[in-house]
Amino acid sequence: MTYKSDIEIAQEAKIQDIRLIADKLGLREEDLDLYGKYKAKVDYNIIKDTKEKDAKLVLVTAINPTPAC
């Protein structure tokens, strides 16, 4: 069984405006700190204010490789 590489999965993804995704989640644009059309930060206090008991906080980080000059 072969698996797709990360780049293959990323290239097949259909990119969507982050505001459309936020709207599907019931978030307002005021809840977002937009970084262009496709990414945003969401204030973690939104979780405390939600009526949903099963809300989850997902932390995502990344490090870009830099040359070791």
Side-chain angles (χ1 to χ4, degrees):
M1 180 176 201
T2 61
Y3 296 98
K4 293 181 182 180
S5 68
D6 291 345
I7 191 69
E8 290 172 319
I9 295 168
Q11 289 172 339
E12 291 176 3
K14 182 181 176 191
I15 196 163
Q16 295 182 359
D17 190 310
I18 194 67
R19 291 170 290 191
L20 294 175
I21 297 168
D23 187 50
K24 290 178 186 177
L25 295 171
L27 297 172
R28 301 167 299 166
E29 192 166 338
E30 298 83 42
D31 299 330
L32 304 175
D33 189 6
L34 295 170
Y35 291 87
K37 291 172 55 175
Y38 306 111
K39 58 185 175 178
K41 288 184 181 179
V42 180
D43 188 343
Y44 76 95
N45 289 314
I46 297 298
I47 294 174
K48 288 195 272 183
D49 297 339
T50 186
K51 295 178 179 96
E52 299 292 327
K53 295 294 181 191
D54 63 344
K56 305 284 190 284
L57 173 63
V58 178
L59 302 175
V60 180
T61 64
I63 299 174
N64 293 332
T66 56
C69 296

